[in-house]
Amino acid sequence: MAKIAYILLCHKDPEAIIRQAERLTAVGDYMAIHFDASASAEDYAQITAALRDNPNVAFPRKRIRCGWGEWSLVQATLDTLTAAMEAFPRATHFYLLSGDCMAIKSAEYAHRFLDETDADFIESVDYFESDWIKTGWKEERLIYRHWFNERTQRKRFYAMFEAQKRLGLTRKIPADLQVQIGSQWWCLRRRTVEALMAFSRERPDVIRFFRSTWIPDETFFQTLVRHLVPEGEIANRSLTFLLFSDYGMPVTFYNDHYDLLLGQNHLFARKISPEALDLKRRLGLLYAAQGVPFQISDEGRNLFEFLTARGRIGRRFAPRFWERESSLGRERELLIIIAKKWHVAKRLMGRIRQQTGLPAVDFLFNEEDTPLPDLGGIQTTLEKRTRHRRALMRMLYDYYDSTRLIVCIDTSNLDLLRDFASDRAQVRMLEVECKLTDAYLSGHARRIGLSGAQTSQENLSRLLPTIRGNMLHEVDQIRDAQFANYSRLSEYANPEINAAALAHFLKVTEDEASAIVQPAGLFAD
């Protein structure tokens, strides 16, 4: 009978990890847990203390600091596989999971399913011939070396790429490998894992190659399994049910998706919303249940594609089934800096980034060239960003892997502010009040094309009161809206008052806030 060793890669929510480990091991299966070294040491200590006496739980000897798109994710998986193989000699299958995955079948069903099919379940299609990569780089992931993290070291990442491209420093793929690509989430038989580990030890050249490819968790296991296992023993699919939006982001499941998930021809689902407490409770009870019948309809993917298409042509009469909750997320915080003087707001954002490390994005709804990650095309124009603003924000939370995000918005965007203020997320706003001097207003008039080099001083003098009045009217409208959790940072106020306002906005101490507002030059033009 199949016995599964779950390989869990996670980095947050220790209570959920403990519950997941207890559920999946209670029926005799195993789990090896890798908790990201960049995550909280206290959380890791909580996990190990709670599971210390569980003989069916193991941990790798070393925690790896993981980064999206890096080899570190593959290394963490290999280390956790090694720990599982040593600790659980009776395990017949190794199933890779994330902390956002939950079982959508019972253990009884899962064991019978694996017993009936002697195969490795891994999605792996030809890297160059398939259309698995929808947007962005393809060949560039492999033929250039990528040593820096695209998310945390963006400038170095692209500078290194451009330097190699300019100098023609490409490299060859190992000659005997046909690179494959597919979902990160797989279930492999023990003999396949043993063969893969032996190959990794014998072929350091292959390891060196994948160490500097970009997003190797989508290619390393997929390529080696195809290289080592006969095609007839590979089921070319993942046993984890997941969907992606048009913009390449994973779809989230909520409380009303229970019946839909149970009907899919998969054993697990990803991602389950942190807010879907009832769904988590019901799925949590399911794994240990006995005699549960499952009616496999497997319509989820087709239904998703059908409803997406109807939405595009304007014939969707109800919320899409995967977006019944369009909120940014009740557990998330959206911090909005409202300003007309963009240079002052950007200066403030720079200081906040330096002092707090919080992810912060400048005027993404006002400035076309605001630096943004590749989110599948939704970020390419201001019109798209504004039209799909909630989807865009959810993607940014996922991209930065954070529940807190700061953005700048111009005072003219009252409708945008109202929309975000109505969200279930925790929204706080900080108005940056600046002096509107004639010199600033004259420069502003030139920048937006209301005046030029030949405009007379007389005409400019008549124009400035109108511009000033318009700016003050925008601010008055925002104040009249009486948004909750609204603070003001003012050029007219003393540093102590500003520090208190910023501390309330950021939820930091006043000393930390003072370090941001006290240095001279914050409001300088």
Side-chain angles (χ1 to χ4, degrees):
M1 180 178 178
K3 291 184 75 68
I4 307 168
Y6 292 105
I7 308 301
L8 181 66
L9 303 184
C10 51
H11 64 281
K12 60 183 178 180
D13 202 349
E15 291 85 1
I17 293 166
I18 293 166
R19 289 194 297 270
Q20 189 177 31
E22 290 172 341
R23 282 194 299 264
L24 296 182
T25 60
V27 294
D29 286 321
Y30 311 108
M31 178 175 285
I33 301 172
H34 179 274
F35 193 72
D36 196 327
S38 61
S40 166
E42 290 77 14
D43 287 351
Y44 182 63
Q46 180 182 347
I47 295 167
T48 54
L51 300 174
R52 182 184 300 120
D53 297 327
N54 189 330
N56 287 4
V57 174
F59 298 87
R61 293 186 179 90
K62 181 182 178 182
R63 294 166 64 203
I64 302 294
R65 188 179 296 274
C66 297
W68 184 88
E70 292 182 3
W71 169 259
S72 54
L73 282 171
V74 177
Q75 188 63 61
T77 306
L78 291 172
D79 290 352
T80 312
L81 271 173
T82 299
M85 292 177 69
E86 293 174 353
F88 312 126
R90 296 181 60 197
T92 61
H93 294 77
F94 296 83
Y95 196 126
L96 184 62
L97 293 175
S98 78
D100 294 321
C101 297
M102 287 197 73
I104 56 174
K105 298 292 186 294
S106 63
E108 179 183 65
Y109 180 99
H111 294 155
R112 184 171 64 248
F113 180 92
L114 293 176
D115 284 337
E116 291 172 352
T117 309
D118 185 22
D120 296 303
F121 289 86
I122 182 169
E123 182 182 31
S124 56
V125 296
D126 187 274
Y127 188 92
F128 295 100
E129 298 299 325
S130 71
D131 64 346
W132 201 88
I133 298 175
K134 303 296 184 184
T135 61
W137 287 351
K138 192 165 188 175
E139 185 182 39
E140 293 89 345
R141 291 193 191 187
L142 305 178
I143 65 172
Y144 296 107
R145 297 162 181 83
H146 305 281
W147 292 111
F148 298 106
N149 185 290
E150 192 263 349
R151 291 188 174 181
T152 61
Q153 299 171 292
R154 185 178 180 84
K155 289 184 179 179
R156 291 181 177 178
F157 179 90
Y158 287 106
M160 184 175 179
F161 166 72
E162 292 296 341
Q164 293 179 85
K165 186 177 178 181
R166 187 169 59 254
L167 298 172
L169 299 178
T170 59
R171 60 176 177 173
K172 293 183 178 180
I173 298 168
D176 58 332
L177 292 185
Q178 184 175 358
V179 179
Q180 306 285 309
I181 192 168
S183 169
Q184 175 186 1
W185 313 107
W186 39 253
C187 177
L188 303 178
R189 298 167 298 174
R190 187 178 194 97
R191 63 175 176 268
T192 299
V193 174
E194 290 172 344
L196 191 149
M197 292 297 198
F199 182 87
S200 299
R201 291 190 296 270
E202 295 163 4
R203 292 291 301 275
D205 61 311
V206 172
I207 301 299
R208 281 195 301 272
F209 172 77
F210 280 104
R211 273 185 182 278
S212 55
T213 60
W214 191 40
I215 321 181
D217 52 296
E218 294 179 350
T219 55
F220 178 78
F221 293 98
Q222 296 77 0
T223 299
L224 294 198
V225 169
R226 280 283 175 188
H227 185 73
L228 297 168
V229 177
E231 184 174 0
E233 296 180 24
I234 298 175
N236 188 13
R237 72 182 187 95
S238 171
L239 291 179
T240 298
F241 180 61
L242 67 163
L243 297 171
F244 289 92
S245 71
D246 290 345
Y247 303 109
M249 301 302 290
V251 168
T252 301
F253 299 106
Y254 295 93
N255 287 332
D256 53 350
H257 295 141
Y258 179 80
D259 293 329
L260 174 99
L261 292 177
L262 265 59
Q264 304 315 304
N265 190 21
H266 297 77
L267 304 184
F268 281 76
R270 183 179 189 272
K271 290 180 161 186
I272 308 299
S273 169
E275 301 173 44
L277 300 181
D278 188 57
L279 178 62
K280 287 187 171 186
R281 179 189 62 80
R282 297 175 74 183
L283 292 179
L285 295 171
L286 179 66
Y287 194 68
Q290 298 285 323
V292 179
F294 293 93
Q295 301 297 322
I296 306 301
S297 57
D298 210 27
E299 83 290 3
R301 199 170 305 279
N302 290 336
L303 182 59
F304 174 84
E305 293 174 356
F306 171 72
L307 291 175
T308 302
R310 291 179 68 83
R312 284 200 202 97
I313 61 176
R315 294 194 293 125
R316 191 188 73 216
F317 297 102
R320 287 175 285 187
F321 79 92
W322 70 94
E323 282 185 350
R324 294 293 293 273
E325 301 236 5
S326 60
S327 166
L328 301 181
R330 196 186 302 275
E331 79 288 356
R332 287 171 168 159
E333 293 181 39
L334 176 60
L335 310 182
I336 303 175
I337 293 177
I338 306 167
K340 177 56 72 176
K341 287 191 176 182
W342 292 5
H343 60 283
V344 176
K346 290 179 181 180
R347 191 178 297 133
L348 176 63
M349 286 280 265
R351 294 183 182 186
I352 290 173
R353 287 190 192 97
Q354 185 176 17
Q355 182 72 22
T356 67
L358 290 174
V361 184
D362 293 338
F363 290 87
L364 71 168
F365 297 108
N366 305 103
E367 225 173 3
E368 194 88 64
D369 59 354
T370 296
L372 287 171
D374 184 353
L375 301 174
I378 193 174
Q379 82 292 343
T380 53
T381 67
L382 289 177
E383 191 272 335
K384 281 185 178 181
R385 295 177 203 171
T386 304
R387 187 172 72 245
H388 304 295
R389 50 187 171 269
R390 296 204 183 193
L392 172 68
M393 300 304 289
R394 291 176 74 99
M395 291 180 194
L396 287 172
Y397 282 111
D398 289 338
Y399 177 83
Y400 289 113
D401 194 16
S402 174
T403 58
R404 306 184 76 198
L405 182 65
I406 311 177
V407 299
C408 290
I409 293 181
D410 188 84
T411 55
S412 62
N413 296 118
L414 179 59
D415 288 343
L416 205 61
L417 295 174
R418 283 178 171 150
D419 185 50
F420 285 135
S422 68
D423 196 271
R424 292 182 180 180
Q426 303 168 49
V427 179
R428 293 195 296 280
M429 301 183 188
L430 179 72
E431 175 196 332
V432 180
E433 182 182 34
C434 301
K435 296 176 181 177
L436 302 178
T437 64
D438 285 354
Y440 165 74
L441 294 174
S442 297
H444 179 76
R446 285 192 295 273
R447 285 189 294 273
I448 64 174
L450 292 179
S451 68
Q454 306 305 318
T455 302
S456 69
Q457 188 60 43
E458 182 182 358
N459 287 339
L460 188 59
S461 297
R462 283 198 291 264
L463 180 62
L464 294 188
T466 303
I467 298 174
R468 181 181 286 108
N470 185 61
M471 290 182 177
L472 293 175
H473 178 65
E474 290 175 355
V475 174
D476 284 342
Q477 284 187 305
I478 293 171
R479 293 176 184 174
D480 289 343
Q482 297 184 328
F483 294 120
N485 299 313
Y486 190 91
S487 306
R488 184 178 305 137
L489 198 72
S490 176
E491 190 172 359
Y492 300 99
N494 64 50
E496 290 74 22
I497 293 176
N498 282 338
L502 187 62
H504 173 75
F505 174 68
L506 294 175
K507 297 301 181 190
V508 298
T509 67
E510 290 201 16
D511 286 343
E512 291 175 298
S514 293
I516 296 171
V517 300
Q518 289 280 11
L522 177 61
F523 293 97
D525 288 332

